[in-house]
């Protein structure tokens, strides 16, 4: 799933591979998928994008957006994006296929759910999640300092668990269940810990862990549980996931629970409840 680190990595890779390429052909919704979401009529994607040159790609939270001379392709967190050179075989099943004049292609597929939206400038601005992602300050930006972090501690959030605070309410768009596990381990905070019980020093540790852990994930090329634009696994070794048995910090057993619609992983010794 696309979260902040993978979105940043893939956006950078797209800028290195498809920037200035001209679009020759677009096929959308070729392989029907109940939870693949499009904007408007996907059969119109070709006419919107045909002949346009890719200008740049950016990331917003856990989203990736390509600008092709004023027509935008925007991808949500459940979309797998792959680049194929001219001599590579493209998969037959896909939810989006974009061919370039040089024979290379960009393919988008959806496993569980995901959005592959194509629109003119401003046409998608009514989407609440899109607006929140564009408006949000990236946790890796200099503007996202400790004082800014404290402004996220709204009354509703203070009543939540650490997981709920970090991953819901669009406080930090693109920060989901995948990356928050390591953030909380590094901060020494249990995912079920209520935010209103955190001491000032613990809030500071959470902030420092948030910045440092996300930076490590980006520098590593994404998490080793996710693939990049070329199908390669990321280089950041996840500390807590379904594959973790022992805590990397103390060697104790890792606990797994179902919580808030997903799984949480934690070390009873290193993360205070």
């Amino acid at each position: 799933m696309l979260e902040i680190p993978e979105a940043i990595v893939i956006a950078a890779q797209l800028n290195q591979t498809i920037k200035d390429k001209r679009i020759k052909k677009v096929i959308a919704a070729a392989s029907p998928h109940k939870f693949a979401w499009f904007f408007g009529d996907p059969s119109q994607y070709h006419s919107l994008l045909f002949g346009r040159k890719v200008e740049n790609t950016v990331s917003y939270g856990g989203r990736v957006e390509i600008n092709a001379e004023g027509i935008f392709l925007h991808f949500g967190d459940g979309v797998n994006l792959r680049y194929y050179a001219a001599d590579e075989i493209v998969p037959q099943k896909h939810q989006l296929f974009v061919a370039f004049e040089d024979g290379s292609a960009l393919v988008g597929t959806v496993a569980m759910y995901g959005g592959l939206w194509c629109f003119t400038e401003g046409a998608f601005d009514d989407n609440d999640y899109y607006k929140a992602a564009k408006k949000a300050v990236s946790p890796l930006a200099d503007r996202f300092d400790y004082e800014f972090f404290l402004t996220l501690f709204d009354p509703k959030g203070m009543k939540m668990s650490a997981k709920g605070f970090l991953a819901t309410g669009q406080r930090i768009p693109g920060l989901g269940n995948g990356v928050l596990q390591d953030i909380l381990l590094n901060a020494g905070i249990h995912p079920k810990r209520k935010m209103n019980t955190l001491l000032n020093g613990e809030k500071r540790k959470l902030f420092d862990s948030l910045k440092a852990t996300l930076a490590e994930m980006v520098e590593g090329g994404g998490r080793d549980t996710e693939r990049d634009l070329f199908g390669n696994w990321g280089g950041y070794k996840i500390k807590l996931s379904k594959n973790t048995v022992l805590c990397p910090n103390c060697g104790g057993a890792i606990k797994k629970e179902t919580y808030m619609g997903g799984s949480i992983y934690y070390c009873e010794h290193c993360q205070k409840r």
Side-chain angles (χ1 to χ4, degrees):
M1 301 290 284
L2 282 174
E3 294 192 33
I4 291 170
E6 289 73 38
I8 292 174
V9 169
I10 288 175
Q13 291 175 328
L14 284 168
N15 278 320
Q16 294 170 353
T17 54
I18 68 170
K19 182 178 170 60
D20 295 328
K21 292 190 177 187
R22 202 166 291 278
I23 298 171
K24 181 179 180 181
K25 184 178 182 180
V26 180
I27 302 172
S31 301
H33 192 299
K34 186 177 181 180
F35 297 107
W37 303 310
F38 300 91
F39 183 76
D41 184 355
S43 68
Q44 297 301 309
Y45 281 21
H46 173 76
S47 61
L48 283 169
L49 290 163
F50 174 73
R52 294 184 181 272
K53 183 175 69 174
V54 175
E55 293 185 340
N56 70 301
T57 303
V58 296
S59 66
Y60 302 116
R63 294 157 172 258
V64 173
E65 184 173 274
I66 299 169
N67 178 6
E69 296 183 312
I71 302 297
F72 298 86
L73 273 173
H74 189 82
F75 304 98
D77 61 354
V79 178
N80 299 306
L81 289 176
R82 296 289 183 271
Y83 173 79
Y84 295 87
D87 59 348
E88 292 182 296
I89 299 175
V90 176
Q92 293 184 346
K93 292 185 177 182
H94 47 70
Q95 278 68 55
L96 183 69
F97 171 81
V98 181
F100 302 101
E101 290 183 343
D102 66 353
S104 63
L106 179 67
V107 174
T109 58
V110 174
M112 296 175 62
Y113 63 86
L116 311 98
W117 301 287
C118 179
F119 49 85
T120 57
E121 187 169 4
F124 201 54
D125 286 353
D126 288 339
N127 183 285
D128 290 338
Y129 290 99
Y130 180 66
K131 285 191 296 185
K134 289 191 70 174
K135 181 181 178 181
V137 178
S138 168
L140 292 174
D142 291 339
R143 283 179 56 204
F144 197 108
D145 55 17
Y146 185 57
E147 286 69 29
F148 179 87
F149 178 64
L150 291 178
T151 67
L152 303 180
F153 285 68
D154 56 2
K156 183 178 179 181
M158 291 299 288
K159 297 178 182 178
M160 290 183 167
S161 65
K163 173 180 175 175
F165 177 82
L166 290 175
T168 67
Q170 295 296 300
R171 291 177 186 81
I172 309 176
L175 197 161
N177 197 54
V179 302
L180 69 81
Q181 313 287 345
D182 280 18
I183 291 171
L184 292 176
L185 175 66
N186 292 336
I189 296 171
H190 194 285
K192 289 185 176 181
R193 177 85 178 273
K194 295 298 184 182
M195 293 299 291
N196 58 15
T197 69
L198 294 186
L199 303 176
N200 288 336
E202 291 174 311
K203 292 178 183 179
R204 182 74 204 201
K205 284 189 68 176
L206 181 58
F207 168 76
D208 291 340
S209 175
L210 171 67
K211 299 277 284 189
T213 305
L214 288 176
E216 285 182 40
M217 290 176 173
V218 173
E219 290 168 6
R223 294 167 286 158
D224 63 356
T225 54
E226 303 295 328
R227 295 183 185 271
D228 67 7
L229 187 65
F230 308 104
N232 301 314
W233 296 106
Y236 172 86
K237 185 174 178 56
I238 282 284
K239 294 180 179 180
L240 292 183
S241 73
K242 63 182 180 180
N243 302 320
T244 310
V245 177
L246 300 177
C247 175
N249 294 341
C250 72
I254 293 298
K255 302 292 185 180
K256 175 184 177 181
E257 292 182 28
T258 300
Y259 180 62
M260 293 184 63
S263 297
I264 55 172
Y265 308 90
Y266 59 90
C267 172
E268 292 181 315
H269 302 288
C270 296
Q271 293 171 270
K272 295 180 181 179
R273 177 78 179 265

